[in-house]
Amino acid sequence: MSSSLRRGALAATALLIPLASLSACAAGNNAQTLGVRPDNAETSVGDIKIQNATVIAPQSGVQGEAAVSATLFNDGTEEQTLDSVSLPGSQTEVKLSPAAGSGAITVAPGGSVVLGGQGNPSGIIEDSSQAGGLGDVQRIVFRFSETGDVPIDAFVVAAAGFYRDFGPSNLPEAPTASPTGSATAEDGGHGDEAESGGEPAPSGSASASQGAGH
């Protein structure tokens, strides 16, 4: 192999090494933020960063529970607990539950927690009327043990499509239209009585007709 070819091969190898390293870093970052939708609210205060914050409510015309969903990051070196979540505009306190058992929701140093979704901690608004209307922007305040209050403005979205799996686990069914057949049948029954003058036909008339035929 000529010296020029050897130099080209070495240069190509040198380029591949940093590219591979960058690819590995990107994979790690993406793995940490899986499920985060960048079109939703995000903010950071001190060591705490919040992404993908939403209020997930039942569809219009349906009452029940609503939920707060978000991805919480702790970029510090100390563990922090999520002490409370509130909606100050409606003076509503969100009911927090860990993924299993009881106790505080903890965000490890350098770690993250997804609030909402199967197998994750949950934040439930017991009365969905306090969550705001679909499409509204709702102020949410996350309070952490070390950082304190982290406010963020988030959209109120319907518990459907992508958001259904992150909303309340006991979503009520949407109302369905009542069948029209029952009313028609009742009307038909009253019509027969109207034709006969509102009185039932004598029970013996059918037997008399049969007797005449024989």
Side-chain angles (χ1 to χ4, degrees):
M1 179 184 293
S2 67
S3 59
S4 60
L5 288 176
R6 282 197 299 271
R7 286 196 298 271
L10 289 171
T13 303
L15 283 171
L16 286 174
I17 292 173
L19 285 175
S21 301
L22 287 172
S23 299
C25 292
N29 291 335
N30 288 337
Q32 189 180 31
T33 58
L34 281 176
V36 173
R37 295 168 66 88
D39 53 331
N40 286 332
E42 65 175 298
T43 191
S44 60
V45 174
D47 292 329
I48 294 296
K49 179 166 56 178
I50 299 176
Q51 290 183 337
N52 204 35
T54 51
V55 178
I56 305 173
Q59 299 188 48
S60 298
V62 180
Q63 294 298 316
E65 294 180 343
V68 171
S69 179
T71 305
L72 317 173
F73 297 89
N74 179 4
D75 292 335
T77 58
E78 300 293 332
E79 176 182 279
Q80 294 206 42
T81 58
L82 178 62
D83 292 340
S84 69
V85 177
S86 60
L87 280 60
S90 59
Q91 298 183 342
T92 300
E93 195 77 14
V94 178
K95 181 181 178 182
L96 297 175
S97 300
S102 59
I105 297 173
T106 301
V107 189
S112 64
V113 169
V114 176
L115 188 66
Q118 186 175 7
N120 297 326
S122 64
I124 297 298
I125 303 167
E126 295 181 335
D127 180 1
S128 62
S129 66
Q130 302 299 312
L134 297 182
D136 288 352
V137 175
Q138 182 70 271
R139 170 59 61 100
I140 310 172
V141 177
F142 296 82
R143 178 169 292 174
F144 292 86
S145 56
E146 300 298 326
T147 300
D149 289 355
V150 182
I152 188 170
D153 292 329
F155 285 113
V156 181
V157 300
F162 172 87
Y163 297 104
R164 183 176 181 86
D165 292 339
F166 293 88
S169 58
N170 57 340
L171 276 172
E173 295 294 331
T176 56
S178 58
T180 58
S182 57
T184 306
E186 291 175 1
D187 291 341
H190 291 302
D192 291 342
E193 290 181 10
E195 290 177 2
S196 60
E199 298 178 358
S203 58
S205 59
S207 300
S209 300
Q210 289 176 3
H214 290 295

